[in-house]
Amino acid sequence: MTFVSRSVQLCSMTMITAASAAASATPTSVLVLLAVLGSAGLVYGGRLALNLRGAVDSTMERRRVALEYRAQQSGNLAAGVSDPLGAGFFRIIGSIVAVASLVMVALSIIEFLNG
């Protein structure tokens, strides 16, 4: 499972969680839920976007190891040699996640303050 498919899966789980919370809870708890999820996304996306403590390097290393493991399991040892995704890809994805999460937090705070 690639990073992008995990992100899509996490996004869809978030939307399901927010929708189910919206149906059964007060609006305040939904806004708190969105603010918490947005804050987590902001931290995770910012960590990748700014490469804090080598986040992109460790992500690329985990991806390289996973590709090599997949190549060993399939018997095709040449498959794990090249990786088309570079550090720029992970930084761009981190930037997108951070900005979207910042918007989500800002909108939940604005809606909470307006009532």
Side-chain angles (χ1 to χ4, degrees):
M1 190 179 295
T2 64
F3 177 76
V4 175
S5 63
R6 286 184 186 163
S7 299
V8 170
Q9 188 178 32
L10 179 63
C11 181
S12 63
M13 290 186 331
T14 303
M15 291 185 334
I16 291 170
T17 303
S20 64
S24 63
T26 63
T28 304
S29 61
V30 173
L31 294 174
V32 169
L33 173 69
L34 290 176
V36 168
L37 291 175
S39 299
L42 183 62
V43 168
Y44 182 73
R47 182 175 176 256
L48 281 176
L50 301 174
N51 196 17
L52 296 178
R53 299 185 74 182
V56 173
D57 301 330
S58 64
T59 301
M60 289 181 62
E61 180 64 22
R62 281 194 310 269
R63 180 169 167 78
R64 185 191 61 76
V65 169
L67 286 174
E68 286 179 0
Y69 180 74
R70 189 181 312 155
Q72 287 177 354
Q73 293 298 321
S74 68
N76 184 7
L77 297 179
V81 174
S82 65
D83 185 16
L85 301 178
F89 172 78
F90 292 106
R91 295 186 85 161
I92 289 172
I93 293 295
S95 300
I96 292 170
V97 169
V99 169
S101 299
L102 184 61
V103 168
M104 190 164 70
V105 169
L107 289 176
S108 66
I109 290 173
I110 290 170
E111 185 64 30
F112 181 74
L113 294 176
N114 286 336

